[in-house]
Amino acid sequence: MARANDEVAALFAEYADLISITGGDAFRARVYEKAARSIGGHHADVSRLDLKGLQEIPNVGRSIAEKIVEYLGTGRVSAVEELRARIPAGVRRLTAVPTLGPKKAMAVYQELGVSSIEELVDAIRDERLRDLKGFGPRTEQNILHGIALLRSSGDRVLIDAAMDVAESVVARLSTAAGCRRCAYAGSLRRGRETIGDVDVLAAADDSEPLMRAFTELPRTREVVAHGTTRTSIRTTEGLAVDLRVVPPDSWGAALQYFTGSKAHNIRTRERAVHQGLKLSEYGLFDAETGERIVSETEEEVYARLGLPWIPPPLREDRGEIEAGLRGELPELVRESDLRGDLHTHTDLTDGLAPLEQMAAAAAARGHAYYAITDHAPNLFMQRMTDERMLAQRERVRELDAEYGRRGARGGTRLLHGVELNIDPDGGVDWPDDFLAGFDLCVASVHSHFNQSRDAMTRRFLRACENPYVNIIGHPTTRVIGKRPGVDADLDALFAACARTGTALEINSHPDRLDLDDEHILRARRYGVKFAIDSDAHSTLHLAYLRYGVATAQRGWLAKDDVINAWPLTRLRRFLRKGRTG
DNA sequence: GCCGTTTTCGGCCCGACTGTTTTCAGTCG
């Protein structure tokens, strides 16, 4: 099941939207938004907390705590139900369209009766929208563009949502009678950033108990198809999950087949054909006699094709077959190679947890080093000041003295950094003498996303030339399914990063995954170094590193390409960059 | 509806951009 915190957070986020759409008090809506975020990022399980414990969560007071209790007891909150009854669910869905907020959504619903994206597209086509006050031709264009963006990710879900489902299904099925092996395959195993449907594979002599367990999972909402080799369900979250059960001796061939990608499989089957073989999900066969040659493990299948085992993130027909034949597959960076995290926040700005909790969580993860990089003053809403930053630094130094000595492996060293804002001209928040006090600086674009390509490129290059800027944070600033990346000459950026000793971030947040795999592949050719960061805003987000690692693997990165896989002494040398003195 | 080193009421993350207007509402980060 989804974590109770996530269910409650989703409910309050919806409530906040409904308050906004129905024109309720904006401050009240924000309170629910903030509460949703706090609850989602809270370390303790809300279903185990009492009324008093709930109120210790930031932004949760008596009223919200009572609503949580009501939800946990009855599965619903009457206040939310009342608002739901007033507004069709489709209206809220409209606010998912970028540039279409609650006010405009309510206007099209009230004036035109539009309550779905399809109806909205029709209304625009019929030019009914432009008669509304506050709407014009540009508004129509922006909305259509927003809808196109939304649809570009289709029905695909982000990797973390798919992973939650896959891991719980695998855990559950693994305990079913007769289950010999069980794993997820498909695009999720390849670490793609969005997932269409989750493919789960199991090995058993008798598929029936597994299929039954699958259809009876608590999160199964609908059984779409039910057979002896394949069953498809839709979960309560609306995600399609396929289970295929194969005989145990077909495991390797089936796993290879169902992991894909299609392009990779075409290449491997071609190789089989050229060798007088036939490759299917049941094994590698002699094409003439039909005799099965190998099938139990993926390694055997690849070996018989003259290939080393190819890590799933590489299986996209992007040169992995050729590299394998030459014996030149990269030794991919693994999550266990990461020694630290170089971009994280605390509640001094928009993080949810205080510095002390974040540091403790980082130490518990076994990080050898950990950088705190809260927002700098030019992101005005965060209200950062020189004084607050310096006070935080002092506290970081104290905690470093404490954590740096702890544990058998030398403890966790805490670094004090900052996430600077790259302004439209490429400048940053502070002059050199103030920047010199930081152990490292991440610099990111947070505004003026629509600059011309030339201006944006110049902006990035100037940031790279800054001797104190060590990492370009979430370089394209895209948000998957919501905002496209900025327009810039990325090759110029990659070259500048390589030249100046500036690392590019692989931001591990599932909404971002920025840089993406294609950009990493390109940047890598310039000899750029990368930082795989969580950009954590809560202790729970520290675990996002796994998705950044998957993306890095899809970009063929090895340990040596990633600065936070290096020992601290080597990292510190890199962070000195071109600084003088 | 939450919160408090400006405290139990009266604030609430601030500024910029866009497209619509003709002085501003809506959206976003």
Side-chain angles (χ1 to χ4, degrees), chain A residues 100-136:
Chain A
L100 189 63
K103 294 289 189 299
K104 284 195 165 71
M106 190 58 170
V108 297
Y109 171 61
Q110 282 193 320
E111 304 293 326
L112 304 173
V114 166
S115 64
S116 72
I117 289 178
E118 291 70 31
E119 289 169 8
L120 183 60
V121 172
D122 288 344
I124 293 172
R125 203 183 44 215
D126 301 343
E127 300 188 351
R128 278 184 287 144
L129 221 61
R130 56 182 65 177
D131 299 333
L132 265 49
K133 186 169 159 41
F135 289 73

Side-chain angles (χ1 to χ4, degrees), chain A residues 93 147-157 194-196 480-481:
Chain A
R93 179 88 186 113
I147 291 173
L149 252 174
L150 200 61
R151 285 183 170 163
S152 66
S153 56
D155 290 330
R156 301 180 73 85
V157 300
T194 61
I195 309 296
I480 298 174

Side-chain angles (χ1 to χ4, degrees), chain A residues 527-547:
Chain A
V528 178
K529 298 301 179 191
F530 300 83
I532 304 175
D533 297 330
S534 71
D535 195 3
H537 285 67
S538 115
T539 55
L540 301 173
H541 299 168
L542 295 173
Y544 285 159
L545 285 178
R546 65 186 299 195
Y547 304 121

